[in-house]
């Protein structure tokens, strides 16, 4: 009923689900019973690159954070005035996130957005999570105190998953 099959990625909002349709450069918002409530067109920044790889949602601020294939995370405003919405780029930041192609194992690095719209980004190997405010400017980094088995070695894959909820940071190693 939402007009696509095999979504590339699904994110849960506060009551709706968001589905990446990377072949059409859009994110679809679905309400109860899978009904499509909005379609956000995600423009590419250049013709040869920039397709949607992953995304996060901050419903409270009406923001999408879209990771593209060239490693750029774009903050997009999606105020809904009608059913179909062209997402407006507010700012972007280059990340060190490495996206793994299908079948090649996990990439490294991760990103998340909290309830206030702050963006969190890790490269997966470092001990710092960079944070960016609503204006795209860096705010104080979070320094991780990892040791022993929790700290990736030089030849190990690092973190490939990052989430933030209610002030807690969740990391997962590849």
């Amino acid at each position: 009923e939402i007009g696509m099959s095999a979504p590339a990625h699904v994110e849960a909002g506060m009551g709706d689900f968001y589905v990446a349709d990377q072949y059409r450069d859009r994110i679809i918002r679905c309400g109860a019973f899978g009904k499509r409530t909005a379609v956000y067109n995600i423009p590419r920044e250049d013709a040869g690159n920039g397709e949607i790889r992953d995304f996060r949602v901050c419903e409270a601020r009406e923001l999408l954070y879209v990771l593209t294939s060239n490693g750029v995370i774009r903050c997009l405003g999606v105020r809904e005035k009608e059913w179909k919405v062209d997402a407006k780029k507010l700012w972007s930041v280059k990340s060190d996130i490495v996206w793994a192609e299908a079948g090649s194992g996990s990439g490294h690095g991760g990103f998340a957005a909290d309830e206030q719209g702050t963006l969190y980004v890790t490269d997966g190997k470092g001990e710092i999570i960079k944070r960016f405010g609503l204006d795209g400017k860096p705010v104080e980094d979070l320094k991780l105190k990892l040791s022993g088995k929790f700290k990736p070695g030089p030849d190990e894959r690092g973190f490939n998953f990052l989430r933030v909820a209610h002030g807690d940071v969740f990391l997962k190693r590849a």
Side-chain angles (χ1 to χ4, degrees):
E1 184 148 349
I2 63 171
M4 65 169 291
S5 61
H9 184 74
V10 177
E11 279 289 310
M14 298 303 291
D16 291 340
F17 288 92
Y18 298 77
V19 180
D21 185 358
Q22 79 275 20
Y23 299 113
R24 295 185 184 152
D25 294 328
R26 66 184 187 169
I27 294 174
I28 300 170
R29 184 175 185 172
C30 302
F33 309 110
K35 297 226 182 255
R36 181 170 49 186
T37 60
V39 175
Y40 307 118
N41 293 314
I42 310 297
R44 291 191 188 198
E45 292 194 333
D46 60 64
N49 213 339
E51 55 274 327
I52 300 169
R53 291 293 190 217
D54 204 352
F55 71 95
R56 301 292 180 265
V57 177
C58 178
E59 282 184 332
R61 302 283 185 172
E62 297 179 303
L63 299 172
L64 295 173
Y65 296 94
V66 177
L67 173 66
T68 58
S69 58
N70 55 10
V72 172
I73 300 173
R74 291 186 283 155
C75 176
L76 306 168
V78 292
R79 294 200 188 279
E80 291 182 37
K81 295 187 175 161
E82 54 193 61
W83 183 74
K84 196 167 186 176
V85 180
D86 288 324
K88 179 183 175 189
K89 178 181 165 186
L90 303 176
W91 51 270
S92 63
V93 61
K94 178 74 172 131
S95 75
D96 293 326
I97 296 173
V98 174
W99 185 262
E101 295 301 323
S104 66
S106 301
H108 68 77
F111 70 109
D114 67 14
E115 299 88 354
Q116 292 77 39
T118 303
L119 175 66
Y120 296 71
V121 180
T122 179
D123 66 0
K125 288 284 188 182
E127 296 182 3
I128 294 176
I129 297 174
K130 298 176 185 176
R131 297 188 306 162
F132 300 88
L134 288 172
D135 57 1
K137 294 188 171 135
V139 295
E140 184 179 354
D141 292 338
L142 296 176
K143 293 179 181 23
L144 303 175
K145 297 177 183 172
L146 303 173
S147 61
K149 65 181 180 179
F150 298 106
K151 185 173 184 175
D155 297 327
E156 294 180 301
R157 289 190 186 266
F159 298 103
N160 66 344
F161 182 86
L162 170 67
R163 289 288 202 246
V164 179
H166 310 292
D168 293 324
V169 174
F170 301 91
L171 287 167
K172 180 183 114 183
R173 275 185 53 190

